[in-house]
Amino acid sequence: MDDCIFCSIIRREAQASVVYEDDEVLAFMDIFPVNPGHTLVIPKGHYPSLRDLPPAIGGRIFQVAMQIERAIRNSDIPDEGTNLLLADGAVAGQEVFHLHLHVIPRLSGDRAGFRFSSANRAMPNRFALDGQAAKIKAGM
Ligand code: 5GP
Ligand code: ZN
């Protein structure tokens, strides 16, 4: 895609600090990191959304993200925990529509957003959960 910033990085027409590359995957430092070490893992193909992404490439992206997480943990980059985050769709926070998996080292007090506090969630009854499980199961 001509106007995609991540495709430009793949073609080396835009600058990036690359940490990993193979035939299918590229990983580079996020330009506005949540914390030092924040890395993006992307497919080399221009897939805007998860539903476009071949599952095997999704598997590769996750494997590379795990390698990066381990490398960060073994480095002197501060890392008390990690979020692997993939935003699929604007409502989920996606801003660059070339799919990417964030590897975000987390530090206590870093004030990064995105909390799954169970305090703000209701617990559905078993009937509702079974109904959702059945719908998802039927599609797999
Ligand atoms: P999203 O919100 O789509 O999940 O995340 C997009 C990410 O891409 C953001 O964290 C943003 O900082 C990063 N980003 C946007 N433009 C560039 C760029 O030109 N170079 C790099 N390295 N990262 C970028
Ligand atoms: Zn692209």
Side-chain angles (χ1 to χ4, degrees):
M1 290 281 285
D2 291 346
D3 58 350
C4 170
I5 182 62
F6 289 177
C7 283
S8 299
I9 288 172
I10 291 165
R11 293 193 298 266
R12 300 301 200 274
E13 292 166 10
Q15 274 195 334
S17 299
V18 171
V19 302
Y20 178 82
E21 179 167 26
D22 64 27
D23 290 346
E24 293 167 332
V25 174
L26 183 73
F28 52 93
M29 308 315 296
D30 194 296
I31 205 166
F32 292 118
V34 169
N35 283 315
H38 183 167
T39 309
L40 302 173
V41 187
I42 70 170
K44 281 198 167 167
H46 180 85
Y47 304 108
S49 155
L50 259 185
R51 63 201 65 186
D52 307 311
L53 188 72
I57 307 281
R60 281 294 302 140
I61 286 170
F62 199 85
Q63 282 178 339
V64 170
M66 289 180 69
Q67 283 181 277
I68 289 168
E69 189 280 331
R70 192 179 319 113
I72 291 171
R73 187 163 17 102
N74 292 335
S75 78
D76 65 0
I77 296 172
D79 175 19
E80 297 167 27
T82 304
N83 280 122
L84 297 185
L85 175 68
L86 189 153
D88 186 13
V91 73
Q94 186 175 11
E95 290 180 348
V96 176
F97 287 85
H98 179 133
L99 204 70
H100 48 280
L101 182 59
H102 296 255
V103 182
I104 309 176
R106 295 301 305 271
L107 304 170
S108 44
D110 65 16
R111 302 172 67 105
F114 207 77
R115 294 271 181 275
F116 278 125
S117 167
S118 56
N120 303 325
R121 292 184 277 162
M123 187 188 289
N125 61 34
R126 183 59 51 198
F127 180 77
L129 292 174
D130 282 349
Q132 292 161 26
K135 286 180 189 174
I136 296 168
K137 201 171 162 184
M140 292 183 71

